[in-house]
């Protein structure tokens, strides 16, 4: 028997960064296709703008750092960041929204900290939060699901709306958000918050047409599709179960308790799990290996923290969906989680 001597680290990485990222964006396809089906062609235009901006910003940063541009493009990390941000914003948001957000994610959040593997915050979610705080009107103007919309927009009509602010027929985004009753409609979570602020009960709020069979027309199936993609990532072992399960439990358990003790003012845990960006966050955002905890136990705690923060912000905070804020807040706790959950080094009796 012969032994091969090699320098540390001695662990063998079975997949390259390029292979992992390829699995991630392939697993995103069901969710993206469902998003396009329910919310129109604008999603594709946002994806194209985000990818073009991400590749341009990545190339610029690599040239300024004296690094080969081709290696950055080949690892697909910029592509995944662009896709995650593009599908997180309204499909008909003005073109400059996605350009600013993607450039910020790549240049500031990723490369200012040293590039791949060095950033402490999730780039896509940091870009999303900057956009949401800076441009709240544009970032909360989600279009109606196609099934409720009074205007049918083609692929080219969507481009005209994104680049000019109006459709060829003269409609703007606010007019496109109006239902048959002439009322401007919002996302399910935003509609619930507005209804509760107007002293309506949950049952009264759920009578709005934006709510589907259990969690919101369109949104429930988008989340189901991202859940399917996430299960694929688990199956091929690109991600482990600890963060997704932790996040979903951290959200579902307090939601179930609130629903049990205050059903008139709290929604069911099913609606929490299948509305907004819950499944996208659990399987594709929180699982970012660079900004998440490292040990298995630490990842479980990290996921539980994100889930609870999502519930807390949705319930008492100022924003209807809270995944981005929860992920960034949890990113800040990673050093302390790692400190107390990493295994003790062999030969040492305790932690220092």
């Amino acid at each position: 028997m012969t032994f091969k001597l090699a320098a540390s680290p001695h662990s063998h990485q079975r997949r390259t960064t390029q292979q992992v990222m390829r699995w991630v964006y392939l697993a995103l396809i069901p969710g993206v296709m469902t998003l396009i089906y329910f919310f129109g062609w604008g999603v594709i235009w946002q994806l194209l703008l985000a990818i073009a901006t991400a590749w341009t910003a990545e190339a610029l940063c690599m040239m300024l750092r004296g690094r080969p541009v081709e290696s950055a493009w080949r690892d697909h990390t910029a592509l995944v960041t662009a896709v995650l941000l593009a599908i997180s914003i309204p499909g008909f948001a003005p073109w400059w929204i996605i350009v600013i957000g993607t450039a910020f994610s790549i240049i500031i959040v990723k490369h200012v900290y040293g590039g791949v593997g060095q950033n402490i915050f999730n780039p896509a979610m940091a870009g999303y939060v900057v956009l949401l705080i800076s441009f709240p009107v544009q970032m909360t103007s989600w279009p109606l699901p196609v099934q409720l919309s009074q205007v049918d927009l083609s692929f080219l009509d969507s481009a005209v709306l994104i680049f000019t602010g109006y459709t060829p027929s003269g409609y703007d985004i606010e007019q496109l958000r109006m239902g048959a009753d002439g009322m401007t409609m919002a996302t399910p979570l935003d509609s619930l918050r507005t209804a509760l602020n107007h002293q309506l009960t949950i049952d009264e709020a759920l009578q709005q047409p934006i709510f589907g069979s259990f969690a919101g027309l369109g949104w429930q199936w988008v989340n189901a599709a991202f859940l399917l993609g996430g299960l694929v990532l688990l199956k091929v072992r690109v991600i482990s179960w600890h963060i997704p399960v932790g996040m979903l439990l951290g959200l579902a358990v307090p939601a179930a308790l609130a629903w049990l003790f205050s059903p008139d003012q709290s929604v069911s845990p099913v609606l929490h799990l299948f509305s907004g960006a819950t499944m996208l966050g659990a399987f594709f955002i929180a699982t970012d290996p660079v900004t998440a905890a490292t040990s298995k136990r630490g990842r479980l705690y990290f996921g539980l923290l994100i889930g609870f923060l999502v519930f807390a912000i949705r319930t008492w905070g100022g924003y209807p969906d809270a995944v981005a804020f929860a992920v960034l807040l949890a990113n800040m706790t990673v050093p302390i989680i790692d400190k107390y959950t990493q295994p003790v080094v062999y030969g040492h009796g305790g932690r220092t």
Side-chain angles (χ1 to χ4, degrees):
M1 181 181 293
T2 59
F3 295 92
K4 180 180 179 181
L5 299 179
S8 61
H10 303 292
S11 61
H12 177 62
Q13 177 64 42
R14 291 180 295 174
R15 291 191 178 96
T16 64
T17 300
Q18 181 185 31
Q19 292 171 329
V20 170
M21 292 298 105
R22 184 183 296 122
W23 269 112
V24 171
Y25 67 70
L26 288 176
L28 281 166
I29 290 176
V32 173
M33 297 300 293
T34 308
L35 200 63
I36 294 169
Y37 175 77
F38 281 103
F39 295 100
W41 297 109
V43 177
I44 294 182
W45 287 106
Q46 300 294 348
L47 285 167
L48 294 174
L49 287 168
I51 293 170
T53 303
W55 280 345
T56 302
E58 187 88 347
L60 176 63
C61 289
M62 295 300 284
M63 287 189 292
L64 291 175
R65 296 174 60 194
R67 304 284 182 85
V69 174
E70 294 77 10
S71 62
W73 283 347
R74 283 197 300 266
D75 67 22
H76 300 315
T77 55
L79 175 63
V80 170
T81 296
V83 172
L84 290 175
L85 183 56
I87 61 179
S88 298
I89 72 170
F92 296 131
W95 64 271
W96 45 268
I97 289 285
I98 191 61
V99 170
I100 292 173
T102 307
F104 181 87
S105 297
I106 299 298
I107 298 172
I108 304 299
V109 186
K110 180 180 179 181
H111 281 283
V112 165
Y113 283 92
V116 177
Q118 304 300 317
N119 50 288
I120 61 175
F121 295 107
N122 184 287
M125 292 301 95
Y128 176 87
V129 167
V130 165
L131 291 176
L132 183 60
I133 295 173
S134 303
F135 312 106
V137 174
Q138 291 82 0
M139 288 293 291
T140 55
S141 297
W142 278 89
L144 283 175
V146 172
Q147 291 75 10
L148 295 179
S149 179
Q150 305 299 304
V151 181
D152 185 20
L153 295 182
S154 68
F155 184 69
L156 292 179
D157 290 342
S158 301
V160 173
L161 176 60
I162 291 170
F163 285 98
T164 69
Y166 294 90
T167 68
S169 301
Y171 292 100
D172 61 17
I173 186 61
E174 286 302 313
Q175 292 171 312
L176 295 175
R177 294 176 64 206
M178 288 187 180
D181 57 1
M183 298 293 292
T184 299
M185 303 179 69
T187 63
L189 290 172
D190 197 24
S191 296
L192 282 172
R193 179 177 293 277
T194 302
L196 292 176
N197 289 339
H198 286 82
Q199 307 303 314
L200 298 177
T201 66
I202 291 297
D203 288 339
E204 291 171 333
L206 294 178
Q207 299 304 312
Q208 300 178 64
I210 192 64
F211 292 97
S213 56
F214 59 92
L217 183 61
W219 293 100
Q220 56 199 17
W221 301 115
V222 169
N223 274 275
F226 282 126
L227 171 60
L228 175 63
L231 294 176
V232 171
L233 293 183
L234 288 174
K235 176 66 176 178
V236 299
R237 299 186 178 183
V238 167
I239 62 175
S240 67
W241 61 268
H242 303 81
I243 292 176
V245 170
M247 177 177 165
L248 297 181
L249 282 177
L251 173 58
V253 171
L257 293 174
W259 186 48
L260 179 64
F261 290 103
S262 182
D264 289 340
Q265 296 297 312
S266 303
V267 298
S268 72
V270 174
L271 194 146
H272 271 291
L273 292 174
F274 286 90
S275 280
T278 302
M279 294 299 173
L280 177 65
F283 290 96
F284 295 94
I285 295 173
T287 53
D288 174 20
V290 176
T291 58
T294 54
S295 68
K296 293 181 178 179
R297 187 157 56 100
R299 290 171 185 165
L300 184 60
Y301 295 158
F302 179 76
L304 287 168
L305 176 61
I306 293 175
F308 178 75
L309 287 172
V310 169
F311 171 76
I313 297 172
R314 285 181 178 180
T315 304
W316 301 294
Y319 294 92
D321 195 11
V323 171
F325 290 99
V327 168
L328 295 181
L329 289 171
N331 287 159
M332 288 190 262
T333 69
V334 166
I336 194 71
I337 292 176
D338 281 346
K339 179 179 179 180
Y340 290 103
T341 59
Q342 286 178 340
V344 177
V345 176
Y346 180 75
H348 292 261
R351 300 180 180 90
T352 59

